[in-house]
Amino acid sequence: NEEVWSWWCRLYSLCVGEIMSPPLVAAAIAGSGFLSYKGNMAAARAAKQTAEYNAQVEENEAILLQRAKIDEENNLRKQSERLVGTQRVATATSGITMSGSPMLALADAYFNTEKDALRIQYASDIEQTRQIAAATLLRTEGAARSRALKTKAYQSLLESGSRAMMV
């Protein structure tokens, strides 16, 4: 019991004495609040930068999707030209003139090619719109997260100031 009492007395003397004086405690509280403020502000900046980076990645993916769809459309048109060329050669070798059913078959090939190309373009527009919307959403979320962290930074600064004044 006496050993515990002597330990308690030493701890009490440290708390009451010069080592833990009220101005020192207030300074420590204010310092920790300032460090918390700086940390939250840095986190806010990092959140905004991360969101911007991710949004830029989404926008770059939209550009890549557009290029891929343009290539897909060009390949479709090349295949269609080959098909039409094959149909013409087959019609010419059979001795039939390019009118009536053979002409309708060529027109059908052209129209189907255009219809497929329009579908590819439409799908490309939808995918690009989705990517751009995702980029906008990422930026908005990053800005909101940044504002929340800034608010938390100011809150920690104010709380540490009020706690330091209480000491």
Side-chain angles (χ1 to χ4, degrees):
N1 243 350
E2 251 183 72
E3 199 175 306
V4 172
W5 179 251
S6 68
W7 181 80
W8 178 252
C9 287
R10 275 186 281 154
L11 182 62
Y12 180 73
S13 69
L14 286 175
C15 291
V16 175
E18 280 299 310
I19 295 175
M20 296 296 279
S21 65
L24 186 60
V25 171
I29 290 172
S32 71
F34 180 72
L35 291 176
S36 178
Y37 166 80
K38 292 296 281 181
N40 283 326
M41 290 302 274
R45 193 170 32 261
K48 193 167 187 171
Q49 288 172 345
T50 301
E52 181 59 35
Y53 173 78
N54 290 337
Q56 191 63 45
V57 167
E58 289 289 331
E59 289 172 347
N60 290 343
E61 285 181 17
I63 291 169
L64 292 175
L65 282 169
Q66 179 187 24
R67 290 178 184 167
K69 290 298 182 179
I70 288 172
D71 288 344
E72 185 179 345
E73 182 182 349
N74 289 337
N75 287 337
L76 172 73
R77 291 186 187 281
K78 286 178 186 176
Q79 289 174 354
S80 176
E81 288 298 321
R82 286 188 202 116
L83 175 66
V84 167
T86 304
Q87 286 175 336
R88 283 186 177 163
V89 168
T91 303
T93 55
S94 68
I96 302 174
T97 60
M98 209 34 119
S99 62
S101 292
M103 187 62 117
L104 290 175
L106 279 178
D108 191 44
Y110 279 122
F111 291 135
N112 284 335
T113 299
E114 288 305 312
K115 188 168 65 171
D116 290 342
L118 287 173
R119 284 185 182 148
I120 291 171
Q121 291 171 5
Y122 180 69
S124 174
D125 288 345
I126 288 173
E127 289 173 4
Q128 287 177 46
T129 302
R130 188 192 65 73
Q131 293 293 126
I132 291 170
T136 303
L137 179 64
L138 284 169
R139 281 191 179 98
T140 304
E141 287 175 349
R145 208 172 305 120
S146 175
R147 281 191 294 275
L149 286 166
K150 283 181 181 180
T151 301
K152 187 175 179 183
Y154 293 126
Q155 178 186 3
S156 69
L157 195 60
L158 291 172
E159 282 179 0
S160 68
S162 68
R163 277 189 286 141
M165 293 303 290
M166 298 273 186
V167 174

